[in-house]
Amino acid sequence: MNTMFLGAFSKAIASENAMGFAAVIPDIKCFSPEKGELLHGRDPVEMARCFVSYGAPVLSVVTEKEHFGGSQELLHAITNAVTVPVLRKDFITSESMLKDTVTLGASAVLLICAITDNKTLAALYNKALERGLEPLVEVHTEQEMEFAIKLKACLIGVNNRDIRRLERDNGRSDQTVALAANVPNGTLLISESGILSPSDAKLAVSAGADAILVGTALWQADDVETVYHSLRVERGNKCVQL
């Protein structure tokens, strides 16, 4: 493994992989800048419980408020309501935000290359590890992928969309295909955003993704459970050792 720390979040994904499937990570978010309101009267905490009952090995919770309608209170409520590891998604830019993430009960934290410089992100990465958080390093370009590999990140996420455009571009899992080839053995790769169908999921997984992170497609589904299971696709023999 390309890190000194393998935590509960990674282990849960690897366990799903060991059963022959890519992990499906439901993204709990209240609002999409592209699609608008997502909850439509549903309780996000109850939906988190539902996703776990469907078999989700981990969850992602968006706490960014201005663009995605999230909150720290929501993260805290969900980590108290479920037993699976939870990823905090936000624009993390300071050590104090990492401290809050631990207090709120998350097991992992998203660190986005596109919103900060390499020196700051590397410092946040190391501080997250010191606090017992697994950092998921998010990339969108070849240069960002090169940096994540140089950082020896054990969890790398390819955002198929440009986060700076706030979900208003048309990125799909092709971006994962473009960037996955150079990911070292022993690194868990997560394909994030723009995965709308089983074919999108299969494309990302065939390129080497160990997990897919899906939000809007689940929230807009008429039958959320059926769509969740349709995205749980089989994968090859690549396996990170527990």
Side-chain angles (χ1 to χ4, degrees):
M1 199 70 185
N2 291 334
T3 184
M4 56 187 173
F5 179 66
L6 177 61
F9 193 85
S10 290
K11 288 180 179 178
I13 292 173
S15 292
E16 185 79 347
N17 294 165
M19 291 188 286
F21 294 92
V24 180
I25 307 172
D27 195 28
I28 311 296
K29 62 180 179 179
C30 302
F31 187 87
S32 162
E34 179 189 25
K35 301 296 184 182
E37 169 68 29
L38 294 176
L39 296 181
H40 298 296
R42 292 171 291 190
D43 179 355
V45 179
E46 182 57 35
M47 287 301 298
R49 292 192 186 99
C50 288
F51 285 125
V52 173
S53 74
Y54 302 158
V58 296
L59 297 175
S60 165
V61 178
V62 179
T63 59
E64 198 280 332
K65 182 176 182 179
E66 180 180 356
H67 304 288
F68 296 95
S71 69
Q72 293 189 29
E73 292 76 14
L74 175 61
L75 174 60
H76 195 217
I78 289 176
T79 59
N80 282 333
V82 301
T83 57
V84 301
V86 176
L87 166 74
R88 180 187 181 184
K89 283 183 67 183
D90 207 326
F91 299 141
I92 302 294
T93 56
S94 68
E95 187 176 354
S96 66
M97 295 180 77
L98 296 176
K99 181 180 178 181
D100 291 341
T101 303
V102 175
T103 302
L104 295 166
S107 299
V109 63
L110 186 69
L111 299 179
I112 306 171
C113 288
I115 68 165
T116 188
D117 60 88
N118 290 355
K119 181 179 179 180
T120 300
L121 192 138
L124 290 170
Y125 181 92
N126 290 322
K127 290 295 183 182
L129 291 175
E130 289 175 9
R131 291 187 176 276
L133 285 170
E134 288 192 86
L136 170 59
V137 179
E138 179 179 290
V139 306
H140 180 68
T141 67
E142 289 185 10
Q143 291 76 16
E144 290 170 356
M145 178 62 85
E146 289 172 3
F147 170 74
I149 293 171
K150 184 178 180 180
L151 191 62
K152 299 187 183 301
C154 84
L155 276 171
I156 297 177
V158 174
N159 194 330
N160 296 306
R161 293 177 165 182
D162 184 346
I163 189 61
R164 294 169 297 185
R165 298 186 63 184
L166 298 172
E167 298 187 345
R168 294 185 176 93
D169 58 342
N170 295 317
R172 302 290 282 273
S173 46
D174 307 71
Q175 193 68 10
T176 297
V177 175
L179 298 180
N182 293 326
V183 174
N185 290 332
T187 299
L188 287 173
L189 179 65
I190 300 175
S191 183
E192 309 171 35
S193 192
I195 297 174
L196 306 178
S197 66
S199 61
D200 291 332
K202 290 175 182 176
L203 182 60
V205 173
S206 68
D210 302 288
I212 58 171
L213 190 148
V214 187
T216 302
L218 289 171
W219 290 103
Q220 291 193 315
D222 292 330
D223 186 335
V224 177
E225 183 174 6
T226 296
V227 171
Y228 175 86
H229 287 298
S230 75
L231 296 171
R232 186 175 181 257
V233 301
E234 294 184 0
R235 63 192 295 280
N237 294 323
K238 176 188 172 187
C239 188
V240 173
Q241 296 298 314
L242 294 173

